[in-house]
Amino acid sequence: MKFVVYLSFDGNCREAFRFYADVFGGTIVNMVTHGETEVRAHVPEDWHDRIINAHLVAGEAELMGADSPPGSGQPSGFSVSIQLEDAAQGERIFNRFAEGGSVLMPFEKTFWAERFGMVTDRFDTPWMINCGMAR
């Protein structure tokens, strides 16, 4: 069993997943719009270009998401936690997310990790980046 994070977006899922693929060096293995499916007749025409399902693979990690239909609400009370051994890689990812986002906790040494930081990216996804155990 494994858990895969599924993110919700407000019309910018395509842009977010292209960004995440670049940040993580991953591949978008699936990105389908409402208009490409059998449900196209049941959604407003302005939703035909919005993403109904996106799937990104980066090494052994996976990320999925979609544009949320109006009125469905965004999820709250969560963060996506990334566990890395390489602090340089963690810092690179943290800095990319900080571009146009907001830093909640700087990426620095803590009592539990060589480096840890919290950042919300420009797509309002909160990330926690944890690199190695403190020695």
Side-chain angles (χ1 to χ4, degrees), residues 4-9 17 51-54 63-67 75 78:
V4 177
V5 175
Y6 200 98
L7 302 173
S8 297
F9 297 90
F17 267 71
I51 304 301
I52 194 169
N53 188 64
L63 192 62
M64 297 180 78
D67 288 314
F78 78 97

Side-chain angles (χ1 to χ4, degrees), residues 49-130:
D49 194 43
R50 293 201 181 199
I51 304 301
I52 194 169
N53 188 64
H55 187 179
L56 168 71
V57 175
E60 294 184 31
E62 296 181 55
L63 192 62
M64 297 180 78
D67 288 314
S68 296
S72 66
Q74 293 280 12
S76 61
F78 78 97
S79 292
V80 180
S81 180
I82 302 172
Q83 307 296 315
L84 302 161
E85 288 302 319
D86 184 352
Q89 181 183 16
E91 185 171 21
R92 181 189 63 77
I93 291 169
F94 183 89
N95 289 337
R96 289 292 307 276
F97 287 156
E99 293 170 10
S102 59
V103 173
L104 305 172
M105 182 176 174
F107 190 72
E108 58 191 15
K109 187 171 182 65
T110 66
F111 66 88
W112 71 86
E114 285 300 317
R115 298 285 185 276
F116 175 83
M118 296 171 59
V119 59
T120 298
D121 69 26
R122 66 182 188 231
F123 304 103
D124 292 325
T125 301
W127 298 89
M128 296 168 43
I129 301 171
N130 195 67

Side-chain angles (χ1 to χ4, degrees), residues 32-51:
V32 180
T33 66
H34 287 264
E36 295 171 320
T37 70
E38 304 82 43
V39 301
R40 70 182 161 275
H42 305 286
V43 296
E45 194 168 322
D46 63 333
W47 267 79
H48 285 194
D49 194 43
R50 293 201 181 199
I51 304 301

